[in-house]
Amino acid sequence: PQEAEKLENIQNQLGFRVGDGALDEGDARWRVDFRFNRNPEAETEEEQRMVVIQVWRGDREAPLSGDPAIARKPQELVEHLEWVREEAEKLVRRLGLSKMEVAAPLRLAAWLHDMGKRRRLWQRVMARNRDEKRPLAKTPFGGNGRLLGGFRHEFASVLDALGDGGAPKGPEDVKETLENIRREMAALEGWQRDLMLHLVAAHHGRARPLMPAIDDSLPPSRLEKEVRDIALRYARLQKRFGPWGLAWLEALLRAADQRASRRLDMQAAGGTKAAPEVMEAAHG
């Protein structure tokens, strides 16, 4: 018993643990981040040699900031975007920013930030979802990010907002959401539009100033131009807000995203109390 307790304490400090398919997946303190089969040639389930990697959640029902796409239950993309927009609006009000010019870009960035997850590649690799009519933003399963080949959904979200003059494609609720975002974005001033797009591109820490030029929606030459534009936006906004001011605005979007994730986890757990603070993943 003492050895088992010692091992558990070490795993908790590390923030993750690795085991075989028999690893307890019903323990709410741990969340499956990734699982794979070490015997891909297996023809039956019994022949599979499953390896499970879990991240530590703690005794509280708080989401880890290191696993933002993983949730206790799946959540469709449009609902997640609406929830994050709502949380951003709450933060804006509580911080007294409602009448400031940064409010509209922050709200629109929250509404747009994960739109790129609707790409088939992300859905199949990260969400394990093949239902193209119901793209997911959150999933109980962990995907293999290496299979994305450098693709970043943040970059795809920016491209979706910019468009090419054509009508967006996809399920009706996704198309309607993107059309509304584009319409409101068109009413922004130039620097506000810069801020909105930068917050989307940077909400996982990239685009400061670099971003991989990978997406299947545009030819390579256009992708390279869009990546240059991301770097130039960053430079302009650094000059306008200063490094700490811009970082603070980026943090507001991440906070709204995390609050929406907590809300989903609390809903899945049947909780009615206010969500606890986000725990920082040791691995994240």
Side-chain angles (χ1 to χ4, degrees):
Q2 291 181 346
E3 290 298 321
E5 183 177 352
K6 182 179 180 180
L7 175 61
E8 183 175 355
N9 289 335
I10 293 174
Q11 292 172 336
N12 297 351
Q13 292 174 14
L14 290 174
F16 71 92
R17 67 181 184 181
V18 181
D20 58 22
L23 195 66
D24 180 15
E25 297 186 19
D27 188 341
R29 299 174 304 166
W30 292 92
R31 168 164 296 170
V32 175
D33 185 58
F34 183 60
R35 59 165 64 88
F36 64 93
N37 175 21
R38 289 197 297 164
N39 184 18
E41 297 179 358
E43 297 182 357
T44 66
E45 186 173 345
E46 290 74 17
E47 295 175 338
Q48 293 181 353
R49 300 176 62 191
M50 299 303 298
V51 175
V52 178
I53 301 174
Q54 296 180 326
V55 293
W56 174 246
R57 305 285 295 183
D59 295 320
R60 300 179 298 170
E61 294 176 346
L64 288 170
S65 60
D67 61 342
I70 305 174
R72 291 187 175 217
K73 71 173 187 176
Q75 185 178 39
E76 292 189 26
L77 177 60
V78 168
E79 181 181 62
H80 174 66
L81 295 176
E82 291 174 348
W83 282 21
V84 178
R85 180 193 62 187
E86 292 170 4
E87 294 298 335
E89 290 170 346
K90 292 176 185 177
L91 286 173
V92 164
R93 288 196 300 270
R94 291 173 181 174
L95 293 171
L97 302 176
S98 299
K99 296 182 180 180
M100 297 186 67
E101 293 179 316
V102 296
L106 179 59
R107 172 184 175 275
L108 283 177
W111 202 7
L112 171 69
H113 76 290
D114 274 352
M115 183 61 75
K117 288 183 177 180
R118 71 195 183 104
R119 296 290 197 278
R120 179 182 298 177
L121 175 62
W122 196 95
Q123 288 296 310
R124 296 195 174 184
V125 169
M126 302 303 291
R128 303 186 191 180
N129 176 34
R130 293 182 177 274
D131 185 352
E132 297 185 3
K133 295 182 179 180
R134 295 179 63 251
L136 300 176
K138 300 290 180 179
T139 171
F141 310 105
N144 185 352
R146 293 181 181 179
L147 297 179
L148 292 174
F151 168 81
R152 298 298 311 182
H153 72 269
E154 311 98 283
F155 183 40
S157 298
V158 170
L159 297 179
D160 280 343
L162 295 172
D164 262 333
K169 300 177 181 179
E172 288 302 318
D173 58 345
V174 172
K175 291 193 294 184
E176 181 179 358
T177 297
L178 189 50
E179 286 171 349
N180 289 335
I181 291 171
R182 288 177 179 177
R183 183 164 50 250
E184 293 194 29
M185 185 177 74
L188 296 178
E189 295 184 20
W191 71 265
Q192 289 178 307
R193 185 170 174 269
D194 275 358
L195 179 58
M196 170 198 168
L197 295 174
H198 172 74
L199 293 179
V200 172
H203 79 271
H204 281 299
R206 290 172 171 76
R208 309 186 93 249
L210 302 177
M211 176 70 76
I214 299 173
D215 192 76
D216 61 3
S217 64
L218 293 172
S221 58
R222 277 294 311 280
L223 294 177
E224 291 175 2
K225 174 187 178 301
E226 298 300 341
V227 168
R228 286 196 299 271
D229 287 346
I230 283 175
L232 291 172
R233 284 189 206 104
Y234 173 67
R236 290 194 294 266
L237 292 167
Q238 283 271 46
K239 185 176 181 179
R240 186 181 188 95
F241 293 103
W244 296 110
L246 184 58
W248 183 70
L249 291 169
E250 293 169 5
L252 292 183
L253 176 55
R254 285 194 289 271
D257 195 8
Q258 291 170 352
R259 288 170 66 89
S261 296
R262 292 207 305 273
R263 177 176 164 187
L264 181 65
D265 273 0
M266 291 294 289
Q267 184 184 90
T272 55
K273 297 180 181 180
E277 296 179 358
V278 171
M279 299 168 56
E280 183 68 26
H283 71 289

